[in-house]
Amino acid sequence: MDKTNITLLKDPTLIQLGNKKTVILHGDTLCIDDKEYQEFRKKVRSDKWEKNFLNQGIDKRLEICKDLRIKSYEAQKSKSDSLMDVNENEVKKLFKDLSFPPIMIHGHTHKPKRHHYLLDNHACERWVLNDWYDSGSYLIWKDDQLNSKIL
């Protein structure tokens, strides 16, 4: 990451927005009902798969990514919306495991929305970001508030 001056974050990662602890994550770990995707995720995040993938030339890696994206798109056609969304119990569990940070931000499901929870007397909210295929979305932290913008 030296060439790009970026830091790869763990998933999930706790950050601070103003005085509010915030958990940020990709979001796919919350979709536990999609067993097929979870098996795929386990495979491609393994050290062996990653090493083999990174040993390929850039053209081959781009070809693999394109093929995986096509297969993902095709697989999504036959899956129900509820299967491809987060499992609410898993969301609540993550909030609890992290001592109820007031904000959670994730993508993956591509269903932009702000969800509100009251968990063990803790007000929590979950912000879901849009994908970047047709239009993107981003969040702005300003004046101690989080707001979303869709392009």
Side-chain angles (χ1 to χ4, degrees):
M1 309 301 166
D2 294 334
K3 292 180 183 180
T4 58
N5 198 27
I6 62 171
T7 302
L8 186 61
L9 299 176
K10 291 182 181 179
D11 190 4
T13 292
L14 278 170
I15 63 169
Q16 197 76 25
L17 290 179
N19 64 354
K20 294 184 180 182
K21 288 205 182 292
T22 301
V23 59
I24 56 175
L25 66 155
H26 179 251
D28 60 349
T29 55
L30 301 172
C31 300
I32 61 171
D33 296 327
D34 189 346
K35 305 294 186 201
E36 185 180 298
Y37 175 79
Q38 292 302 322
E39 281 299 313
F40 167 78
R41 183 184 189 281
K42 183 178 176 182
K43 174 184 166 184
V44 299
R45 299 227 177 181
S46 71
D47 291 338
K48 180 181 176 182
W49 192 94
E50 185 176 324
K51 182 179 178 185
N52 286 338
F53 178 76
L54 293 175
N55 281 334
Q56 305 290 321
I58 188 67
D59 290 338
K60 182 64 175 174
R61 284 186 278 167
L62 289 171
E63 181 183 323
I64 291 168
C65 290
K66 183 179 177 182
D67 183 55
L68 288 174
R69 186 157 309 279
I70 290 168
K71 287 179 180 173
S72 172
Y73 179 75
E74 290 300 317
Q76 288 175 24
K77 287 181 182 179
S78 63
K79 294 180 181 180
S80 68
D81 285 346
S82 61
L83 183 68
M84 294 192 313
D85 205 352
V86 300
N87 176 293
E88 285 294 329
N89 289 328
E90 195 68 11
V91 170
K92 293 171 185 176
K93 180 183 180 301
L94 183 59
F95 272 122
K96 183 178 181 180
D97 290 349
L98 297 175
S99 301
F100 304 102
I103 301 171
M104 176 186 293
I105 301 170
H106 71 83
H108 183 70
T109 64
H110 309 305
K111 297 177 181 179
K113 188 173 178 182
R114 182 178 176 189
H115 304 265
H116 298 273
Y117 301 88
L118 184 60
L119 305 169
D120 291 347
N121 292 319
H122 297 275
C124 301
E125 54 188 24
R126 178 169 65 92
W127 293 74
V128 184
L129 295 170
N130 197 9
D131 62 31
W132 285 87
Y133 299 118
D134 298 321
S135 67
S137 65
Y138 60 96
L139 300 176
I140 297 173
W141 178 260
K142 185 177 178 182
D143 300 326
D144 253 4
Q145 287 191 334
L146 196 56
N147 290 292
S148 64
K149 300 287 183 188
I150 297 179
L151 300 173

